[in-house]
Amino acid sequence: MPLSSNDRLSSFITVFNGQDYPAWKVKMKTYLMSEGLWSIVANGYKETEDETGLDATTKRDLEITRMSNAKALSKLQNGDGPTIFPLIIRSSYAKEAWDIIAKEFEGDGKTVVIKLQNLRREFENLRMLETECAQDFYTRAIDMVNQMRTLGEDVGDQKVVQKLLISLPERYNVVVAAIEESKDLSILKPEELMGSLEAHEHRRLRRGDQNQSLESTFQAKMTLTNDTRKGK
């Protein structure tokens, strides 16, 4: 049995209840684009109150536009939970509803500027902790980047890769040097860099386990030798 429109939406996007707005915004935008509805949300349309002088073609186009607006608005309504829906309950236009939610959770222009300034500062000061693994650091960094992108900041992959490389602790010096020597950093994807860092971590862990095993064997042999000498 084919899924209804609402079922497809619920399977694609977690209903927004005010948590993790940046992720919801990206997912909802992608979903609306896949349905051919993002343009009506982003740009809106001008309603015609008096259709008396419109020809048949213009009336048909207007009706198609109204239907697209209604579909987009319906998806926004169904993508919002009971705590968010009251914010847009009076909206007749998809763009209006989208802008209301954005203003509520991003703020006005001044608020966005302040948020971006704080995020830029955090990104500039970003460093991998000694207790972090590569995956945890990568997740923390990409979450920050996604927040900046959601607020309109153009953060390219090249900038992300460069930042990740200079933010690693000394134990990654060898692999960083190898990557800088063998890779074209202008086209290297962050996820590719992540793969190289994780592979380096796994090699270090294996060597650590082997060294620990050799040390344990050596200590056992020394204990046995000492016991033998003592006549035990």
Side-chain angles (χ1 to χ4, degrees):
M1 181 178 178
L3 292 174
S4 67
S5 176
N6 286 348
D7 288 337
R8 289 197 301 271
L9 175 59
S10 63
S11 65
F12 188 81
I13 300 172
T14 301
V15 173
F16 181 50
N17 285 305
Q19 302 297 318
D20 200 7
Y21 169 73
W24 176 87
K25 178 181 178 180
V26 170
K27 291 179 180 179
M28 178 58 81
K29 179 180 178 180
T30 303
Y31 177 69
L32 291 167
M33 290 175 66
S34 73
E35 296 287 311
L37 298 171
W38 174 244
S39 179
I40 196 71
V41 175
N43 303 318
Y45 77 100
K46 186 175 181 180
E47 183 57 80
T48 301
E49 296 181 3
D50 185 6
E51 303 180 27
T52 306
L54 301 181
D55 57 37
T57 300
T58 304
K59 285 183 179 180
R60 185 177 65 250
D61 290 344
L62 180 58
E63 189 58 33
I64 292 173
T65 300
R66 286 170 173 167
M67 186 174 296
S68 295
N69 175 71
K71 287 180 179 178
L73 181 59
S74 174
K75 294 182 187 304
L76 288 173
Q77 291 170 343
N78 286 302
D80 291 330
T83 60
I84 306 301
F85 178 65
L87 296 175
I88 62 172
I89 195 171
R90 296 183 181 278
S91 299
S92 300
Y93 300 96
K95 176 175 173 53
E96 179 187 14
W98 181 268
D99 290 345
I100 288 173
I101 296 172
K103 185 175 181 179
E104 178 71 19
F105 292 94
E106 287 181 357
D108 55 20
K110 182 178 180 180
T111 304
V112 170
V113 168
I114 293 173
K115 287 182 178 180
L116 268 176
Q117 287 177 337
N118 290 334
L119 285 168
R120 289 179 190 131
R121 189 178 302 110
E122 289 180 28
F123 187 68
E124 180 67 26
N125 296 329
L126 180 68
R127 294 292 184 274
M128 182 176 179
L129 305 176
E130 289 294 338
T131 56
E132 275 185 312
C133 65
Q135 180 60 58
D136 289 344
F137 173 60
Y138 177 77
T139 299
R140 187 161 62 90
I142 293 301
D143 178 64
M144 195 177 299
V145 168
N146 287 338
Q147 289 185 57
M148 294 168 69
R149 288 172 174 168
T150 299
L151 294 174
E153 187 82 345
D154 183 14
V155 188
D157 286 346
Q158 184 177 358
K159 183 175 182 179
V160 175
V161 166
Q162 291 173 342
K163 180 58 184 177
L164 291 174
L165 285 173
I166 65 174
S167 302
L168 297 169
E170 289 186 3
R171 65 178 184 270
Y172 288 92
N173 284 353
V174 173
V175 69
V176 168
I179 290 171
E180 291 176 339
E181 180 69 24
S182 62
K183 303 288 186 180
D184 184 350
L185 300 186
S186 66
I187 60 174
L188 182 65
K189 297 293 184 182
E191 54 269 23
E192 295 178 57
L193 172 60
M194 180 62 209
S196 298
L197 296 179
E198 286 195 308
H200 174 70
E201 278 191 346
H202 292 156
R203 287 194 295 271
R204 289 183 68 252
L205 287 172
R206 285 198 299 271
R207 286 198 297 269
D209 290 342
Q210 291 171 357
N211 292 339
Q212 186 175 9
S213 178
L214 289 172
E215 183 178 350
S216 297
T217 301
F218 177 75
Q219 289 178 345
K221 286 182 178 179
M222 289 296 295
T223 300
L224 179 61
T225 300
N226 291 335
D227 289 346
T228 301
R229 287 174 178 175
K230 293 176 181 178
K232 291 184 180 180

